[in-house]
Each structure stands twice: as structure tokens, then as C-alpha cells.
Amino acid sequence: MARQRMTGKQRRDQLILIGRAAFAERGYEGTTVEEIANRAGVSKPVVYEHFGGKEGLYRAVVEREMELLHDAIFDVVKDGRWRDRIEQAVYALLTYVEEETDGFIILAHGQLPGEERTYSTILNMVTAQVSYLLAQAFRHRGLDGDAATLYGQALVGTVSNTALWWLDVRTPDKASAARHIANLCWNGLRGLEALPHIGEADDDNDTEKDA
């Protein structure tokens, strides 16, 4: 019985998945159209027909991964209690790292030719949303809403850098890691001072004694 021919969309999706695996393994420069065609069992012109070349395929891979990660995070930070939002967002990021490892490697370490790093792009989008939500919460509590962008950068930076570390070590488990990161972020936010000062730690909590 003859093998059923793929539709154009099915072939395009297949090439994106194959390209994602190749780019994660070899990087953009180390991957060739010939290798992708061989893995897909097609001729090189088929790849050119769908994407115009390697850069077009790479761009399609990156756009797909950015959409997946964006949707995973933004779906859980829009509503709910702040601690739940933080924990669920961290968990969503770590789930993406765990289940879509090739895609995360491309976003974190790859780069579109002539453009900024792709992971930075998605993080900037997340930071903008987090900063907006923080500004609302700050003003409600009588804190400086203008400082929300700084805190948003700090929170997203903490989470994203920890995700990069967790990609390699995978310990503790995903749920535990999400709880610990959320614990740090939440308790830091909950204890914010309206006018923070450096070098004025509470004597009762200061374990260091003057010589």
C-alpha cells in the first residue's frame, strides 16, 4: 500500500520539528539544509519551497517556540493571588524547559541572524507585563509605582537565570524548584519597605557582631 502523501501544512510542521531538533543539537551555523532534508526524507528544494532557506526555517522555529513560551506564562499570570501567579508562572517556565528542551535551548542560546537574542525578547515581554501588574499592586499598598519596572526586572531575571541553571541540573524536581523560587520572590515582595535603605539592617536579625 502506498504511503499517504503529506499535506503542505503537515510537511511544514514536520520540517519545523526536525529543524528544531537539528538547530538545538548543532546550532544555526552548524546546521545545513541538506541535513534537514535528509532527516525529513525529502529533497532540498522541498525545504526551500516551504521556508526559502535555512534562515526562514530557523525563524519559523523560533517564532513557534516564542509563541509556546509566551502563551504558557501569560495564561497563568493574568489572574489570581500574587503568590499563586508567581508559583504558576515559574512552574510553567520549568515545564516548558522540561517538555520542550530543544526549543528552550534555541531560545536561550540561539539568535536570529541580525537580531537580538530571542530569549531576551520574550523576557522583555514578560517583564513588561509583570511590571505593569506590580505597579498596580504597589500603588494599592501605598508604595512607589514607578519602582515597579526595577522590581519586575529583578523578579524575571531571578526566575529566568534559575531556569537556565535548572536546565542543566534538573534538581530539585520541577514542583519543588517552583515552590522555592516562588517562596523567595513572594516573601521578598511581601516584605518590601516603602523607603529601603542600605546598611540599616534590623539589629535583632543581624547575626554579625561588631568586632
Side-chain angles (χ1 to χ4, degrees), residues 138-155:
F138 280 15
R139 294 188 179 103
H140 180 73
R141 293 179 54 191
L143 299 172
D144 180 10
D146 292 338
T149 299
L150 186 153
Y151 284 99
Q153 291 281 353
L155 282 175

Side-chain angles (χ1 to χ4, degrees), residues 193-205:
E193 299 171 340
L195 296 173
H197 298 283
I198 295 177
E200 296 186 7
D202 188 338
D203 290 339
D204 292 337
N205 294 326

Side-chain angles (χ1 to χ4, degrees), residues 59-117:
R59 189 177 298 276
V61 169
V62 168
E63 289 175 352
R64 175 185 181 274
E65 296 307 316
M66 289 182 67
E67 183 176 353
L68 284 175
L69 182 55
H70 175 276
D71 291 347
I73 294 176
F74 278 85
D75 281 349
V76 298
V77 300
K78 292 184 293 188
D79 303 298
R81 298 187 309 165
W82 260 105
R83 178 158 190 162
D84 292 339
R85 293 187 198 185
I86 294 171
E87 187 168 321
Q88 290 168 9
V90 175
Y91 189 83
L93 175 58
L94 296 182
T95 297
Y96 175 81
V97 172
E98 181 180 62
E99 297 180 357
E100 307 289 347
T101 303
D102 285 349
F104 183 72
I105 289 173
I106 291 170
L107 290 184
H109 302 298
Q111 185 174 351
L112 284 169
E115 297 187 11
E116 296 296 323
R117 292 178 66 89

Side-chain angles (χ1 to χ4, degrees), residues 184-198:
L184 172 64
C185 295
W186 169 248
N187 283 295
L189 287 173
R190 189 173 61 172
L192 287 183
E193 299 171 340
L195 296 173
H197 298 283
I198 295 177

